[in-house]
Amino acid sequence: MVKYIIEKRTIRIEDFKMENEEMIQIILAEDVNQTPNGSNMMQAAINPVLVFNSPVIPSALSFSVIIIMSMMDFSDEKNILVEIFNEENKLIYSSGIAKAKSPVKGKASNVRAILNLRNVLFNDEGRYSVKVSIDGEQRAERDFMVFDQRNAKSI
């Protein structure tokens, strides 16, 4: 049994009950820098954001969506769909279905999908949602805001 001692308390790893659970995280950033590192690629999010301040609305914004998936079996082909909706749940962007498959059997960790979106039209200020579906089932969602800088009040 694996145990960790934290602040003189014993915590069993089984208490966390996350070791076999799927995890999906969505990160929004102004851009992503990808650099070769031997046979791998290093990816760095540039200016992660939750709010986009646009000089005008409507506006065509460019940004990156980073999706990190762990504890998922990609040995069978998966259909991944990324969509953005406005507050009225109206679709404003769809990636179309991307197919993902790994030659490695078993659950993978830190599988990344990076979408570099350019000139996505935002007609209104407000709350928007990025939704990720895998094999037709919505699995993750991240809200973000878009504001018109002309309406911003200084603090």
Side-chain angles (χ1 to χ4, degrees), residues 53 147-155:
N53 291 304
F147 289 123
D148 186 333
Q149 286 179 337
R150 298 172 299 175
N151 298 332
K153 295 184 168 105
S154 61
I155 297 175

Side-chain angles (χ1 to χ4, degrees), residues 19 21-23 67-74 102 104-112:
E19 60 191 62
E21 291 182 24
E22 292 179 0
M23 295 180 281
I67 303 158
I68 307 167
M69 299 166 278
S70 284
M71 303 310 294
M72 296 177 67
D73 187 349
F74 281 90
S102 172
V104 178
K105 296 286 184 196
K107 293 187 177 183
S109 62
N110 298 323
V111 174
R112 289 176 294 280

Side-chain angles (χ1 to χ4, degrees), residues 74-117:
F74 281 90
S75 59
D76 292 326
E77 188 173 79
K78 304 270 189 230
N79 296 310
I80 300 175
L81 176 66
V82 179
E83 298 174 309
I84 299 175
F85 294 86
N86 67 10
E87 285 181 298
E88 288 79 36
N89 209 32
K90 179 182 175 192
L91 180 69
I92 66 161
Y93 171 82
S94 176
S95 67
I97 293 176
K99 301 203 178 287
K101 185 175 181 176
S102 172
V104 178
K105 296 286 184 196
K107 293 187 177 183
S109 62
N110 298 323
V111 174
R112 289 176 294 280
I114 299 173
L115 288 79
N116 290 311
L117 306 182

Side-chain angles (χ1 to χ4, degrees), residues 15-74:
D15 292 340
F16 289 105
K17 295 190 180 156
M18 286 184 61
E19 60 191 62
N20 291 315
E21 291 182 24
E22 292 179 0
M23 295 180 281
I24 301 174
Q25 184 65 257
I26 301 169
I27 301 168
L28 302 174
E30 290 181 5
D31 204 355
V32 172
N33 185 16
Q34 298 189 65
T35 308
N37 181 19
S39 62
N40 296 319
M41 289 293 282
M42 289 183 54
Q43 293 120 356
I46 299 172
N47 294 333
V49 295
L50 291 174
V51 174
F52 292 97
N53 291 304
S54 177
V56 296
I57 296 290
S59 186
L61 299 178
S62 296
F63 57 98
S64 295
V65 177
I66 305 155
I67 303 158
I68 307 167
M69 299 166 278
S70 284
M71 303 310 294
M72 296 177 67
D73 187 349
F74 281 90

